[in-house]
Structure formats: C-alpha cells, structure tokens
Amino acid sequence: VMSLGTNQLVAQPNGGLGGGPGGRNFDHAQMQQRMLERYKELLEVTNDDEWKAIEPRVTKVMEARRDSMSGMGRMFGRGPRGGDNAPPADQGQPRRGGMFGTPSPEAEALQKAIDSKASKAELKATLEKYVASRKTKQADLEKSQAALRELLTPRQEAIAALNGLL
C-alpha cells in the first residue's frame, strides 16, 4: 500500500513530504487522496457511481492496514545506546507517528515494560495484551477486505490483491 504513492512522491519537491526539510508539513490527507486516485486508476474504475461505492471500502482497508501495522517496525530507533547500562534511546521523548502511524497504546505499554526491565509476569501480561490487540486489528483488516471484495469484479480483485489491498 505504501509503495503506491511513491512514484508520485519522489517527483515532488522535498520528496513529496511537503513544506521543508524532513517533511515537517507532511499532509497525510493529501497522500491518502493520491493513493485513492491511484487505486481508482489501477482498478480501472471509470464510472463515478461505481467509485462512490468502492472508495469508502478502499479507504477502510487502507486505514485498517495502517492500524494493524501500528507498533511494528520499532526495531530501528529504540533500545539502549552504548551498552546495557545506557538509557533507552527515546527516554522521555513522546513517540511520534512513523511510517505506520502512531503506535498503539498496547505497543507503547509493551515498549515501556521492556525499557523498564519489567518482571517476567508483567512482561507476559503486557505481551498478551499487545498480541490480542494485534489479532483484533488483523481481524478488522480482514473484515474490511471482505467488504471490499463484495464490490469488485474478478479482474479488480486480482489487481487489488497484487497491489496490496487484498
């Protein structure tokens, strides 16, 4: 999903991230709109009425995918610096949204438990909540994908599958 808008983003000033170095004025809504336009083109939807039915379901799948991935990709940019006794890299800093959005409360709680070297029991309980949350988000994604499939032709379904929607 994330790669769909890449070609358009690269061709824009500042890598398409908006307003200045590092993408400080990144406009998520604008990126999402470009992705939706790209999906409309990929799915070969030319009828506006058809797109009015499909677009909300594509949006829901995109949002559910983002939510199911929140908290992932944390392995880079977290953890101790300089050895076992060093403080965590982001200690005291609020977590910002990254490629996969704002981390879930369950991911934050698990990271806090790891950083504080919580007891085995606390780590296990926090991990169970995190895993349960991920399973719920994955189920929501699958439900959104099933709803989208209901409106697609077999050709559109194949295209959607190859392009990360299904």
Side-chain angles (χ1 to χ4, degrees):
V1 172
M2 299 305 289
S3 67
L4 285 175
T6 304
N7 291 342
Q8 292 174 347
L9 291 174
V10 172
Q12 295 181 10
N14 301 315
L17 298 176
R24 285 183 282 251
N25 294 325
F26 175 75
D27 186 347
H28 179 74
Q30 188 178 46
M31 182 180 133
Q32 183 173 345
Q33 186 57 43
R34 281 194 296 264
M35 289 175 71
L36 285 168
E37 290 168 7
R38 182 71 177 135
Y39 278 127
K40 180 179 179 182
E41 180 183 316
L42 285 169
L43 296 173
E44 302 169 346
V45 178
T46 56
N47 181 308
D48 287 338
D49 290 333
E50 180 185 9
W51 184 243
K52 284 179 186 175
I54 293 174
E55 181 182 17
R57 294 191 188 186
V58 170
T59 300
K60 190 157 177 101
V61 168
M62 289 169 49
E63 290 169 353
R65 181 170 307 285
R66 183 195 65 228
D67 291 346
S68 74
M69 297 177 82
S70 69
M72 293 179 66
R74 301 175 64 84
M75 122 176 167
F76 301 105
R78 290 295 289 198
R81 289 187 197 164
D84 291 336
N85 296 324
D90 295 337
Q91 186 173 13
Q93 298 295 319
R95 292 288 296 159
R96 289 177 277 171
M99 181 179 222
F100 303 118
T102 304
S104 69
E106 296 83 8
E108 288 292 329
L110 183 56
Q111 186 65 57
K112 184 178 177 183
I114 293 167
D115 290 347
S116 69
K117 300 186 188 282
S119 69
K120 288 180 185 179
E122 184 180 345
L123 274 171
K124 184 175 180 177
T126 307
L127 177 59
E128 287 174 1
K129 289 178 184 176
Y130 173 75
V131 170
S133 170
R134 293 281 313 276
K135 286 180 181 178
T136 299
K137 290 175 183 178
Q138 183 63 33
D140 290 345
L141 172 59
E142 290 170 8
K143 182 179 175 184
S144 297
Q145 290 171 324
L148 174 60
R149 261 190 201 96
E150 293 172 356
L151 297 179
L152 300 179
T153 66
R155 178 177 172 80
Q156 289 172 325
E157 185 176 350
I159 292 168
L162 280 176
N163 286 280
L165 272 176
L166 303 176

